[in-house]
Amino acid sequence: MTERLFQAENLSVSFGGIRAVQDLSFSVEQGEIFSIIGPNGAGKTTVFNLISRLYDLDRGRMIFEGDDISGLAPHQIAERGIARTFQNTELFERETVLNNLLIGRHIHRSTRLLDEFLFLPGVRRQELEFRKRVEDVIDLLDLQPYREQIIGNLPYGVRKMVEVARALCMEPKLLLLDEPSSGLNPEETEDLSYWLEDINEDLGITVIMVEHDMNLVARASHRVLALADGLALAVGAPSEIQNHPDVLRAYLGD
Amino acid sequence: MRFVLKTHYGQDVDLFKHSGQRFWYAALAIMVGLAPWIMDDFYLGELSLVFIYAIAGIGLMLLVGYTGLVSLGHAAFLAIGAYSHAYLLGHGVPFPVALAAATLFSAVIGAIVGLPALRMIGIYLAVATLAFAIIVEQVLSHWESVTGGYRGMPVPEAELFGLSLMGSQTFYYLCLALLVASLLAALNLLRGPTGRSFIAIRDSEISASSMGIHLARTKSRAFAISAGFTGLAGGLFAHKLGYLAPDAFTLLTSIQLLLMVVVGGLGSLHGVIFGAIFIGLLPQAIAFLRDTLPPAAAQIPGLEPGIFGLILVLFLIYEPLGIYGRWRKIRLFFDEFPLYRSATYRRQKSYLRTERVR
Ligand SMILES: Nc1ncnc2c1ncn2[C@@H]1O[C@H](COP(=O)(O)OP(=O)(O)O)[C@@H](O)[C@H]1O
Ligand SMILES: [Mg+2]
C-alpha cells in the first residue's frame, strides 16, 4: 500500500484582490511524481511558495508525514526534508557550483561554531563527507565540467540543473521543481526526463513538479493536477488530464 | 599558465591550495617577522596600526563582504572593545583576560544590535547602525563614572607576567600574532558551514532559507562575530591611542572602516589587508596634500571626510572589486599570458531572478 506523504487541505491565499489559490486540496503519495499544470498565473508557483512557507496561508493547512507544517518557518521546512527549485533560479550567484552544492548540505551539519573557528578534525571530516555527497550528485547530473565555475558565468540551462543538484544535496524526501524544463533545449529536456526517473526511482524521492512541457509531464508523472485561476480543475493520470474538457477549455481560453 | 592537479578532496579543504602559495606566504611571514630589525619605531608603530585596522577589517568584511549586511556604525564596536578593555585593565584584570572579555563583550553587544537589524536591509540597516553608533558615542560622553566623559580615560599599560607589552617591538609582535590568529579564525569559518551560510544570505535570502538556513539566527551570528573581531581590534587600538576619548570613535572612523573593506575588495580577506594598508597610509597622504595644496584649499573644513567619501564613491563606480580585484586581474593576465581575454571579469547581465518572491 502506498503512503500519503503530503496533503494540502483547502489552501487559500489572496494578494490584494487576486485570489491566487482558492480552496485547493490535493495529496501526494510516497514515491510519486506529481505534476501541477495550468496556464500562466494559475497559481502554481504560489502553491510552492505556500508549501515552502515563503507565503502565509489565509486558510487551510498542509500535512507532511502526518505533521501539520502550516506554521513552520521556511528553514524548518527544509529541515523536515522538503527541498525546492525556483522558476527563474535563485542560486548564490557569486559562488562556485561546488559551494552552491555544499550550501545544500547545510541541514546535515553537526559541527559547532567554536569547532569551526578552530577547524577541528571533526569539521574537516564533515567537509570531506559533504564533498563526497556533493560529488555523487555532480556525477548523477553530469555537472563535472562546471564544478569550479562561478554561477554568474553559466548558461541558463546549466543553472537550472545546478539548482536541481543543490536541492538533491539536501537529500530531501520531497522535491518541489518549478518549471525545471523552461529554458532548456530539447536535448537537455530529454536528459531531464531520465534524471527525473533516477531521482524518483533510485533515490526514492517524491517529486512535485510544475511543468509546461506536456510531453515531459506525460512521460514522467504518475498523476497530474490541473489548475486555473487558483482553482483545481481536475486530478488524474496524465492521459485523462490531457483530454479533460475543463482543462482544454482553460488552455484554449474558450 | 598554472595547472593544479588535484588528487584528493582534502586539497580543496586545505588553506593553501598549492606549493606556490605556500612559498609566497612563507616569504611574507619572514618579511613581517623581520620588520622590527629593519624599521625604526615610527614605521613599526604605523605597521602595528595597519595590523589593528586589519583585525577590525576582518570583522567588518565578514559582515559586509560575506553576509551582505552594511554597517555604518562599526566605530561603536571599536569603542566598546577599547573602553571595556581599558576599564578592565584599570581594575586590575590581567591583560589577556581583559582583552578576551572585551572581545566577548563586543560580540554580545553585536548580537543584541543585530536583533532589530535583522528585518532591515540596505539603506535602512545602514541608518540603524549609524544610529547605534551615535548612541554609543553619547553614552561614552556622558557616562562619566566609567568612561570619564568628554575628558576621557587613560589606558593602563599592558603587561604580561610582569613584562611590559608596550615596547614598540613587543607591541608589533602582539598585533601581528593577533592578526594572524584572526585571519586563521576567519578563514576557517569561511571554509565551513557557518561561513557558507553567511555567503548564502548575501546572495539570496529566500534561497538560503529554503536550504534550511535560519536567517535571523545566522545574521545575528554574523553581527556578533563581526563585532567580536572589531572589539578585539578596539582593545589593541586603546593601547595605540594611550588615552581614550569619545572623539576617537566618530562617524568618520566608521566610514574609514567601511572604506577599508570597499577599497580593499568586498568578499575577500586579502582585500582586508590591502584596505588596511590603504587607510593606514591615507592620513600621511592627506597631510602631504595639505602641505602641497595652496593654503586656501588646504584649510577647507571637512577636507578629510570629503576625500574619504570621494574615494569610496570612485571605487564603487570604477573598481567595485577593490584593490584585490585589480590585483587578481593583473595576476590572471600573467597567468594566462598570452591568452588573457579582457572580458573575463566584465560583469555579465544576470538572468531574471524570481520576481514575485522578494
Ligand atoms: N507576492 C505576490 N504578490 C502579488 N501577487 C502575487 C504574488 N504572488 C503571486 N501573485 C499572483 O498570483 C497569481 C498566481 O501567480 P503564480 O502562482 O506565480 O502563477 P503561475 O501559475 O504562473 O506560477 C498571479 O496573478 C500573480 O500575479
Ligand atoms: Mg510560476
Side-chain angles (χ1 to χ4, degrees):
Chain A
M1 224 207 86
T2 52
E3 248 177 279
R4 182 154 296 174
L5 183 68
F6 176 81
Q7 185 164 1
E9 293 174 4
N10 311 99
L11 307 187
S12 299
V13 67
S14 37
F15 300 102
I18 303 168
R19 297 217 242 156
V21 172
Q22 303 178 50
D23 214 23
L24 177 69
S25 300
F26 62 91
S27 61
V28 178
E29 310 297 324
Q30 173 76 46
E32 205 175 15
I33 297 186
F34 184 90
S35 291
I36 302 179
I37 63 165
N40 272 330
K44 306 179 297 291
T45 299
T46 305
V47 172
F48 275 12
N49 288 340
L50 288 172
I51 299 176
S52 44
R53 294 285 298 122
L54 296 175
Y55 293 167
D56 286 327
L57 282 166
D58 290 345
R59 255 169 300 114
R61 55 180 203 148
M62 302 176 292
I63 312 287
F64 180 69
E65 293 189 308
D67 297 329
D68 187 343
I69 57 164
S70 328
L72 297 185
H75 71 270
Q76 292 173 314
I77 296 292
E79 283 165 0
R80 291 282 173 127
I82 302 180
R84 71 169 291 179
T85 66
F86 294 84
Q87 187 168 342
N88 293 309
T89 74
E90 274 289 333
L91 288 160
F92 307 116
E93 294 275 322
R94 286 181 275 175
E95 284 303 312
T96 59
V97 169
L98 198 55
N99 269 346
N100 269 266
L101 302 190
L102 285 169
I103 292 171
R105 297 294 303 168
H106 188 81
I107 52 172
H108 298 284
R109 79 200 181 288
S110 61
T111 49
R112 280 173 314 172
L113 187 59
L114 211 58
D115 306 348
E116 291 177 27
F117 267 129
L118 301 172
F119 214 75
L120 295 183
V123 182
R124 171 177 287 270
R125 218 174 305 126
Q126 176 175 276
E127 284 302 308
L128 294 177
E129 200 264 336
F130 280 5
R131 180 67 190 269
K132 280 215 194 70
R133 296 303 178 107
V134 163
E135 289 296 330
D136 291 342
V137 173
I138 287 178
D139 283 344
L140 180 75
L141 299 185
D142 283 338
L143 289 170
Q144 297 89 343
Y146 309 109
R147 208 182 268 125
E148 312 274 343
Q149 301 221 24
I150 306 285
I151 299 295
N153 301 332
L154 291 175
Y156 191 66
V158 178
R159 291 176 192 220
K160 292 286 286 200
M161 290 321 297
V162 173
E163 217 185 20
V164 175
R166 186 180 63 179
L168 287 180
C169 286
M170 293 169 69
E171 295 183 67
K173 295 171 185 147
L174 177 63
L175 177 61
L176 313 177
L177 300 174
D178 199 345
E179 303 199 10
S181 84
S182 76
L184 300 192
N185 62 34
E187 195 185 329
E188 290 168 327
T189 308
E190 173 90 16
D191 288 342
L192 179 67
S193 74
Y194 291 115
W195 285 326
L196 271 172
E197 246 180 71
D198 290 346
I199 290 168
N200 182 239
E201 287 170 12
D202 298 349
L203 305 179
I205 297 172
T206 307
V207 178
I208 306 181
M209 167 171 82
V210 166
E211 187 47 65
H212 278 303
D213 184 334
M214 281 312 291
N215 272 327
L216 180 63
V217 169
R219 259 172 77 177
S221 39
H222 302 108
R223 285 189 308 146
V224 180
L225 164 70
L227 272 186
D229 298 325
L231 285 165
L233 293 178
V235 190
S239 54
E240 284 167 42
I241 297 301
Q242 269 174 310
N243 302 313
H244 196 286
D246 289 348
V247 177
L248 291 176
R249 204 173 307 131
Y251 269 100
L252 300 175
D254 175 42
Chain B
M1 290 188 72
R2 181 199 296 283
F3 291 98
V4 179
L5 177 67
K6 292 182 183 167
T7 49
H8 57 94
Y9 298 147
Q11 267 168 289
D12 280 343
V13 175
D14 290 340
L15 277 181
F16 301 113
K17 309 292 183 226
H18 50 80
S19 52
Q21 266 179 347
R22 246 174 247 129
F23 172 78
W24 285 113
Y25 282 111
L28 183 67
I30 292 172
M31 244 168 63
V32 291
L34 291 183
W37 277 277
I38 307 163
M39 290 181 174
D40 66 26
D41 278 4
F42 174 77
Y43 287 104
L44 214 50
E46 292 299 293
L47 207 49
S48 313
L49 189 61
V50 167
F51 293 168
I52 294 171
Y53 282 140
I55 296 173
I58 291 171
L60 193 56
M61 185 63 89
L62 287 174
L63 192 69
V64 182
Y66 286 97
T67 319
L69 301 171
V70 182
S71 167
L72 267 182
H74 254 54
F77 297 119
L78 201 66
I80 291 170
Y83 272 88
S84 49
H85 177 62
Y87 181 84
L88 291 174
L89 275 187
H91 285 72
V93 177
F95 173 80
V97 181
L99 196 59
T103 306
L104 272 182
F105 182 57
S106 308
V108 170
I109 301 284
I112 294 170
V113 174
L115 289 178
L118 300 178
R119 304 206 131 263
M120 296 183 238
I121 47 164
I123 187 79
Y124 300 102
L125 183 58
V127 171
T129 51
L130 179 63
F132 163 71
I134 292 171
I135 293 170
V136 169
E137 213 182 312
Q138 289 303 313
V139 170
L140 296 180
S141 311
H142 296 289
W143 195 8
E144 298 203 359
S145 57
V146 173
T147 66
Y150 288 109
R151 280 180 297 107
M153 70 194 279
V155 181
E157 296 242 321
E159 54 177 50
L160 196 58
F161 309 124
L163 299 171
S164 169
L165 294 175
M166 302 312 294
S168 60
Q169 292 202 1
T170 338
F171 190 66
Y172 171 88
Y173 282 122
L174 176 69
C175 294
L176 179 60
L178 287 172
L179 172 60
V180 171
S182 302
L183 274 174
L184 285 177
L187 282 169
N188 285 342
L189 193 71
L190 288 171
R191 58 181 169 150
T194 304
R196 282 196 296 267
S197 67
F198 290 172
I199 291 168
I201 287 182
R202 177 192 70 190
D203 283 3
S204 166
E205 287 197 8
I206 49 164
S207 205
S209 66
S210 308
M211 313 262 59
I213 293 169
H214 190 316
L215 293 184
R217 186 182 302 154
T218 310
K219 285 186 188 180
S220 108
R221 234 176 215 199
F223 254 99
I225 293 170
S226 174
F229 279 114
T230 309
L232 172 64
L236 294 172
F237 195 49
H239 291 298
K240 191 79 199 143
L241 292 175
Y243 197 89
L244 296 180
D247 63 5
F249 306 95
T250 57
L251 174 61
L252 195 61
T253 319
S254 292
I255 292 181
Q256 207 174 346
L257 293 175
L258 199 59
L259 189 67
M260 163 167 48
V261 295
V262 171
V263 168
L266 286 175
S268 92
L269 290 179
H270 288 102
V272 172
I273 306 295
F274 286 118
I277 296 172
F278 181 82
I279 62 163
L281 293 179
L282 204 55
Q284 267 86 323
I286 289 178
F288 176 75
L289 205 64
R290 273 193 205 281
D291 292 343
T292 44
L293 279 181
Q299 296 311 316
I300 298 173
L303 180 67
E304 208 160 309
I307 291 177
F308 285 8
L310 186 67
I311 297 173
L312 196 60
V313 170
L314 289 179
F315 262 92
L316 286 175
I317 296 174
Y318 294 108
E319 194 64 279
L321 295 175
I323 300 176
Y324 180 62
R326 171 57 49 191
W327 159 247
R328 271 209 325 214
K329 284 178 212 173
I330 296 171
R331 208 181 47 193
L332 193 72
F333 177 82
F334 286 107
D335 269 1
E336 302 209 328
F337 189 81
L339 302 174
Y340 183 75
R341 293 179 305 148
S342 64
T344 307
Y345 275 93
R346 187 156 298 156
R347 270 204 277 184
Q348 313 213 350
K349 184 176 177 304
S350 56
Y351 290 89
L352 273 182
R353 311 176 77 204
T354 313
E355 327 92 297
R356 293 201 185 96
V357 201
R358 269 265 45 148

